[in-house]
Amino acid sequence: MNKDYETYQLSWDGIDIEIRWAKHWLDFDDETSMGHLEICSIGPEKHPLPMTETGYRSHFMHAQELDQHGGPENYVEEWLAHESKSEAWIDCKAGFQQLALF
């Protein structure tokens, strides 16, 4: 197990996001790897994202799959774009945009 993480920064829809990626979190005998992807909103801190209500998501996936998407930043941008079309996210985002009266 190699838990060395690469760190990336991404700004999406006014939210600053930190992406951490450990490509070789677990290596298999067939020369494939299971990677660990962490996504965390850092500005505003713990702000919900389309794939997590808490602003944090831990996701394990084959490293080759992430490579096919052009790396961690592209993968997360595609994931955000896909999930941002869901009714749950549209409703959640509308709640952020409403002005509080009190």
Side-chain angles (χ1 to χ4, degrees):
M1 251 186 254
N2 180 353
K3 296 184 182 178
D4 292 332
Y5 285 84
E6 299 171 1
T7 303
Y8 304 87
Q9 301 287 322
L10 174 67
S11 184
W12 178 82
D13 201 25
I15 304 166
D16 293 327
I17 300 168
E18 181 176 89
I19 303 165
R20 296 182 68 229
W21 171 242
K23 182 174 185 170
H24 296 282
W25 196 85
L26 180 62
D27 292 323
F28 299 108
D29 291 339
D30 66 356
E31 298 184 15
T32 61
S33 296
M34 182 65 65
H36 183 226
L37 182 69
E38 291 183 311
I39 304 164
C40 183
S41 57
I42 57 173
E45 189 176 0
K46 298 181 182 180
H47 191 282
L49 296 168
M51 71 285 276
T52 171
E53 295 176 3
T54 65
Y56 175 80
R57 179 73 184 249
S58 173
H59 183 70
F60 291 91
M61 63 188 299
H62 286 281
Q64 293 77 3
E65 180 183 354
L66 189 129
D67 289 342
Q68 291 172 352
H69 287 271
E73 293 165 297
N74 287 343
Y75 184 86
V76 171
E77 285 179 343
E78 290 175 15
W79 195 0
L80 288 164
H82 180 267
E83 293 297 322
S84 68
K85 296 174 186 169
S86 72
E87 283 187 45
W89 177 251
I90 292 168
D91 291 344
C92 185
K93 188 174 176 180
F96 300 144
Q97 295 173 340
Q98 290 181 353
L99 297 175
L101 298 176
F102 302 96

